[in-house]
Amino acid sequence: MDDRAFRNSATRRAAARWVLALAACATGCSTYVGTTARSFLGHVRNNPDPNIRYIAYTKLASKDVFESDEQRHEAVAVLIDRYQKGNEPIASRAIICRTLGEIGDDSAREVLLKAVRHHEAVVRVEACRALGKIGRSEDATSLAQSMAVDNVEDVRIAAIDGLAELKSNDPRIYKVLLDAMENEDPAIRLASLNALRKITGKDLGTEPTPWRKDLEPILAATPADMRAPATPASPADEAASQSAAAEFRPDVAPH
């Protein structure tokens, strides 16, 4: 594998994240929103400016801002409520997913499982990575589905990153990642390699053959067809996506 080949893909992925970066910069990153979780939550609840709320959502991603577990749980509950209501701009809904992952409270697991099927790719990207941080072993199947069937490269890579964080011992995940090491997309190959390194704690080089040989005893004991089936979003998830799209108002989005 040629590391230089990954640079162009990395550039494309960086461009796909412009929504979040632009939103943060355009608000004026020096805008003062306080220094404590209490002040951030106050802005989330009461500030009419979506740009300021976006900054507050971002600031809540630091675990150091919380004075107690009770306050942390309160923040998670507020973030989940704000996401589920669907009134925030898409960039804010994406950053809410990221912040829930950084806080690390597994009570956000259900909302993230739905968010990985969101109609906007930027939300799916953040949800996949966040789910990897707080999900359960069985959630690897959902991430593998996104990795296999999503039509956006950034989402597929985020799903692989999520699998790396989740560190599921499901042998089907090894098979999916091994197959992805031979994907035509060099970014997918690199992400899959790094995921295998992180999950196994090994470094067997950049070619798939040594990895297949090492994992052969595990793979031999599993069914031949290991690819996770693609499943459509539930009717409830589809309704939530449609509601979010209807409520998204470009005139209040971070810009």
Side-chain angles (χ1 to χ4, degrees):
M1 297 171 72
D2 185 354
D3 287 343
R4 290 176 300 178
F6 302 130
R7 293 173 186 166
N8 290 336
S9 294
T11 300
R12 294 195 301 270
R13 297 196 304 275
R17 292 190 287 272
W18 70 271
V19 175
L20 298 181
L22 183 61
C25 292
T27 61
C29 295
S30 62
T31 302
Y32 186 72
V33 295
T35 59
T36 66
R38 185 179 300 278
S39 62
F40 303 148
L41 286 170
H43 285 290
V44 166
R45 288 186 170 115
N46 304 314
N47 200 305
D49 187 344
N51 299 311
I52 301 300
R53 294 199 303 274
Y54 178 96
I55 295 174
Y57 290 134
T58 303
K59 296 289 187 181
L60 286 168
S62 174
K63 297 178 183 179
D64 295 337
V65 303
F66 299 110
E67 299 174 0
S68 64
D69 286 342
E70 181 180 7
Q71 189 179 60
R72 180 171 60 85
H73 293 316
E74 176 190 0
V76 170
V78 170
L79 290 169
I80 291 173
D81 178 67
R82 293 291 169 156
Y83 179 89
Q84 290 180 327
K85 284 182 176 177
N87 295 324
E88 291 287 21
I90 292 300
S92 291
R93 300 191 81 192
I95 208 65
I96 287 172
C97 291
R98 181 192 294 181
T99 296
L100 286 171
E102 292 298 325
I103 294 175
D105 191 314
D106 62 6
S107 63
R109 173 176 172 263
E110 290 297 331
V111 72
L112 291 175
L113 280 169
K114 294 180 179 179
V116 300
R117 300 285 181 262
H118 196 272
H119 65 284
E120 289 286 349
V122 68
V123 176
R124 299 199 301 276
V125 164
E126 298 299 340
C128 283
R129 291 198 171 101
L131 183 60
K133 294 177 180 179
I134 67 171
R136 300 174 185 170
S137 179
E138 59 264 32
D139 298 335
T141 300
S142 182
L143 291 172
Q145 290 170 359
S146 295
M147 173 186 169
V149 305
D150 202 287
N151 60 1
V152 178
E153 180 194 54
D154 273 7
V155 179
R156 296 196 300 272
I157 292 171
I160 296 171
D161 292 344
L163 288 172
E165 291 289 338
L166 201 59
K167 293 184 178 179
S168 170
N169 60 3
D170 188 335
R172 293 175 297 175
I173 302 306
Y174 293 138
K175 177 65 165 57
V176 168
L177 292 172
L178 283 169
D179 288 346
M181 282 185 68
E182 300 182 80
N183 192 282
E184 63 181 12
D185 186 334
I188 297 293
R189 297 200 301 269
L190 179 60
S192 300
L193 168 63
N194 288 335
L196 282 171
R197 285 170 171 166
K198 192 163 189 175
I199 293 171
T200 65
K202 300 176 180 180
D203 188 352
L204 303 178
T206 60
E207 297 301 324
T209 301
W211 286 97
R212 289 189 184 280
K213 183 176 180 180
D214 184 76
L215 296 172
E216 184 177 4
I218 298 174
L219 299 178
T222 60
D225 183 6
M226 305 305 297
R227 183 177 290 272
T231 57
S234 68
D237 293 347
E238 292 291 347
S241 293
Q242 293 171 5
S243 174
E247 292 170 347
F248 174 52
R249 303 190 303 272
D251 59 308
V252 299
H255 52 272

